[in-house]
Amino acid sequence: MNEWLSQGRSVIGVFGHYGNWEYITAYQLHCPRVHVMQLYKRLTNEFSENLMLHIRQRFGSECVEAGNAYRRLLAAKRSGEQVAVGFIADQAVWPAHFWLEFMHQDSPVFEGAQRISSKLDFGLVYFDIYKVKRGYYEVKVIPMAEHPAEFPEHALTERYFRLLENTIRRNPEYYLWSHNRWKFKRS
């Protein structure tokens, strides 16, 4: 990832609701020359929305509503702005256009990371999060594709979910099981 960033390329990092995923918002401190963004879903409660935006942007990164992601990233690319973007891509999606098996469950999956990285030619990496000890986490960056458009449709999305499964199986207690990942069923 650092090699791609040093070449002036933009990068999308995918990960799941595992460990303390909110630490990723502090990546701006480690990479000040690159504009760091993270996608998020707007909260309906205004107080909670403002609090979460404050927490997530306090180190200089930018929160981008998931529905505006492509437009914002396209504008960044057109202006020559180099970005590193975090996608937590394990959330339930409805309506779903693509399903796969995730943790032995038929699951509707978010394909935005592969689609956007392919269209914009952003490098794609997986953030494998490890809990070292209480309050301390490490992230191993696993390159998935330097040029995602070279891969077949769904291939990188499937690889992401296989990597996430490996992360979860290593220490399942750090995964956010309560967000009801499997609330939708195929009709």
Side-chain angles (χ1 to χ4, degrees):
M1 183 168 135
N2 287 335
E3 180 182 329
W4 296 344
L5 291 173
S6 69
Q7 295 169 0
R9 301 204 60 230
S10 291
V11 176
I12 291 176
V14 289
F15 52 105
H17 285 91
Y18 185 87
N20 189 340
W21 60 88
E22 294 289 349
Y23 278 171
I24 295 296
T25 63
Y27 188 72
Q28 187 71 61
L29 298 173
H30 301 288
C31 202
R33 70 186 188 286
V34 175
H35 187 95
V36 175
M37 300 177 192
Q38 60 272 343
L39 302 189
Y40 85 105
K41 184 177 178 183
R42 186 172 185 75
L43 301 174
T44 54
N45 179 284
E46 187 176 340
F47 175 80
S48 297
E49 168 74 3
N50 291 333
L51 176 63
M52 291 308 294
L53 285 175
H54 171 73
I55 291 168
R56 290 175 174 164
Q57 296 180 130
R58 71 185 181 274
F59 298 116
S61 62
E62 175 187 350
C63 286
V64 176
E65 273 193 80
N68 296 327
Y70 182 73
R71 284 185 296 278
R72 174 64 182 97
L73 297 176
L74 179 60
K77 182 174 179 80
R78 286 180 174 164
S79 72
E81 179 181 24
Q82 185 183 18
V83 297
V85 188
F87 282 52
I88 298 180
D90 65 336
Q91 297 175 324
V93 171
W94 197 259
H97 302 287
F98 181 58
W99 294 70
L100 58 75
E101 186 177 294
F102 173 57
M103 301 303 289
H104 304 291
Q105 301 288 321
D106 196 27
S107 306
V109 298
F110 176 70
E111 300 176 274
Q114 181 169 354
R115 285 184 181 167
I116 292 173
S117 63
S118 293
K119 287 181 180 179
L120 300 179
D121 193 32
F122 287 4
L124 186 62
V125 299
Y126 174 72
F127 293 143
D128 192 7
I129 300 172
Y130 293 82
K131 182 173 181 178
V132 177
K133 61 182 179 180
R134 184 177 177 165
Y136 291 84
Y137 295 85
E138 289 182 0
V139 176
K140 179 181 176 187
V141 178
I142 299 172
M144 292 178 61
E146 184 172 2
H147 299 286
E150 296 172 354
F151 289 79
E153 184 179 24
H154 311 305
L156 296 172
T157 301
E158 289 187 43
R159 179 153 188 244
Y160 157 70
F161 277 97
R162 299 296 78 86
L163 289 166
L164 181 58
E165 282 180 330
N166 291 338
T167 299
I168 294 167
R169 285 191 176 105
R170 185 179 59 234
N171 291 106
E173 64 273 23
Y174 301 128
Y175 188 62
L176 181 65
W177 295 100
S178 64
H179 81 303
N180 199 4
R181 175 72 187 86
W182 297 279
K183 63 186 170 188
F184 301 117
K185 302 293 180 210
R186 284 192 211 227
S187 45

